[in-house]
Amino acid sequence: MRRSAVIFIVFLTVIMASGALAYEFNGPIEARNEFPFFLAVFSPSADSAKPQTLFTTSLTHSSVFFIKSGKEIALWYDMEVTDLRFRLKRVIFNTVELDVELPFYLFSSGFMDGPLGSYHDAFGFNDYGRGRRPTNSFLYEVRKNGKSVVNGEDGRFKQGDLRLAIKNAFVDNPDLTLSFKADMELPTGDARSGAGNCNIDTALSSLLDATLGERVKVYLNAGVVFPGDLSGHDTIYLKDYLYGNGVVEALYSEELSVLAGVMIQDWPFNDEGDKAFKRSPIVLNLGGRYLANKGVFELSLSEDLNTTGAPDFSVGLAYKRRF
């Protein structure tokens, strides 16, 4: 994480020293918190305030190790998550955007334990107990009062919950855009295997895009999620939670840009039996983007900054096409 941050700072310094560019910004990194519990009950992603007509397909692979037990809730994850998404945005009435997104998940034992173990050893980082479990083993279980609520299946491809959204820009000019957004997730995923929560989730958010000169743009989101309860083999009752996203996009050339973002959110339940549930999940996202005609190719890396409620490491690829 430290090395990635240094590389980004150097890259940004080079950009700020370069000349003016005639280039259009392309929004925040196509990334979210890929922690399995949040994927099941609504995991918000950073979004641009500006309405767009856009098709996006993204593929993210994450390594998750988190074995914690509270007074009531236990989250046991030793797994990898592959997240394939298809998303379509459509502008109507100039300032209104309709948005639909369908995810598919593959939960698996994976292949990243060895490389991550070498990475932790090389830099002296804590592996949080990963080394005490067999390499590339699989564990996905959520419990409530000792009773299983979710049992994930190794190597099974699952459809997630369908998300619908509407966004309205009430301020939209070249340097500043302000919008309100409403999201709804329909229960199309299987809660017992961790691909959904068998209930409707909703969210409200405010979004701001601000251009800082000709080379830098900032995207800020703040919102509240109203998750439905997690109804698998038993039911975990969830509470509303807040989240925030901040992303900076900086231009390197007419075709290339670099991005950095941070996302913070609350836990959607109250359980103070383990100190990990008292800390807010924080995810760092770093990415690069290449523009080719109307298409945009994107590479992103994500890392857990607060050692709770987020994957240890994620890598993502995305392709965006404007219409």
Side-chain angles (χ1 to χ4, degrees):
M1 187 271 291
R2 295 172 183 170
R3 183 171 61 181
S4 299
V6 170
I7 292 172
F8 178 79
I9 291 170
V10 173
F11 210 18
L12 185 59
T13 302
V14 173
I15 290 164
M16 296 304 293
S18 64
L21 300 170
Y23 176 60
E24 188 172 359
F25 295 95
N26 281 282
I29 298 171
E30 193 70 27
R32 60 183 39 76
N33 187 350
E34 296 282 340
F35 194 67
F37 194 89
F38 288 109
L39 290 179
V41 302
F42 192 94
S43 183
S45 63
D47 198 5
S48 172
K50 188 173 183 62
Q52 302 175 78
T53 296
L54 185 71
F55 173 76
T56 303
T57 180
S58 62
L59 180 68
T60 306
H61 190 81
S62 306
S63 176
V64 182
F65 185 86
F66 188 89
I67 299 179
K68 303 293 182 182
S69 298
K71 293 180 179 179
E72 180 182 8
I73 297 171
L75 305 181
W76 298 346
Y77 304 126
D78 182 4
M79 56 187 290
E80 295 181 16
V81 181
T82 304
D83 181 349
L84 173 65
R85 291 177 181 261
F86 301 95
R87 184 176 186 181
L88 180 63
K89 296 181 175 184
R90 177 74 179 182
V91 176
I92 60 173
F93 308 125
N94 296 322
T95 62
V96 176
E97 176 190 281
L98 303 180
D99 184 355
V100 59
E101 182 179 54
L102 182 62
F104 296 88
Y105 305 126
L106 175 65
F107 306 128
S108 67
S109 55
F111 58 91
M112 295 179 67
D113 281 5
L116 280 174
S118 299
Y119 168 75
H120 290 146
D121 292 342
F123 292 94
F125 295 155
N126 193 334
D127 71 353
Y128 311 107
R130 183 190 297 270
R132 293 193 291 270
R133 283 185 51 81
T135 301
N136 296 328
S137 58
F138 180 82
L139 176 63
Y140 183 176
E141 187 170 4
V142 177
R143 291 191 168 210
K144 175 185 175 184
N145 295 324
K147 182 178 179 181
S148 181
V149 178
V150 177
N151 287 104
E153 300 176 78
D154 186 7
R156 295 293 298 274
F157 198 60
K158 298 282 186 178
Q159 178 185 318
D161 287 344
L162 176 69
R163 187 183 63 84
L164 307 174
I166 185 169
K167 176 169 63 185
N168 182 46
F170 60 92
V171 174
D172 189 6
N173 61 55
D175 295 325
L176 180 69
T177 305
L178 297 171
S179 296
F180 285 128
K181 182 181 177 184
D183 290 84
M184 175 184 292
E185 274 195 352
L186 304 179
T188 56
D190 177 24
R192 294 185 176 186
S193 63
N197 65 342
C198 203
N199 284 290
I200 293 176
D201 311 309
T202 57
L204 295 173
S205 59
S206 57
L207 304 90
L208 179 149
D209 295 357
T211 303
L212 307 179
E214 296 183 347
R215 296 175 293 277
V216 177
K217 192 163 190 173
V218 176
Y219 308 92
L220 299 176
N221 301 173
V224 57
V225 176
F226 309 97
D229 298 325
L230 177 57
S231 300
H233 300 286
D234 197 352
T235 299
I236 295 177
Y237 300 102
L238 302 178
K239 69 179 183 72
D240 307 339
Y241 71 89
L242 301 175
Y243 74 92
N245 260 308
V247 179
V248 177
E249 181 179 12
L251 308 182
Y252 180 72
S253 70
E254 293 185 3
E255 294 83 19
L256 295 173
S257 62
V258 291
L259 302 98
V262 174
M263 191 276 289
I264 184 170
Q265 60 191 102
D266 292 331
W267 285 98
F269 54 78
N270 291 314
D271 192 325
E272 299 185 352
D274 192 289
K275 63 182 181 180
F277 296 146
K278 300 178 184 179
R279 303 194 306 270
S280 296
I282 304 176
V283 179
L284 170 69
N285 297 306
L286 299 175
R289 181 174 285 156
Y290 175 74
L291 175 67
N293 297 322
K294 291 185 178 180
V296 177
F297 296 90
E298 184 176 289
L299 171 67
S300 63
L301 303 175
S302 302
E303 195 161 337
D304 176 14
L305 290 185
N306 210 20
T307 64
T308 186
D312 303 334
F313 177 80
S314 299
V315 57
L317 297 170
Y319 175 73
K320 300 180 178 182
R321 180 77 176 180
R322 296 190 178 195
F323 298 97

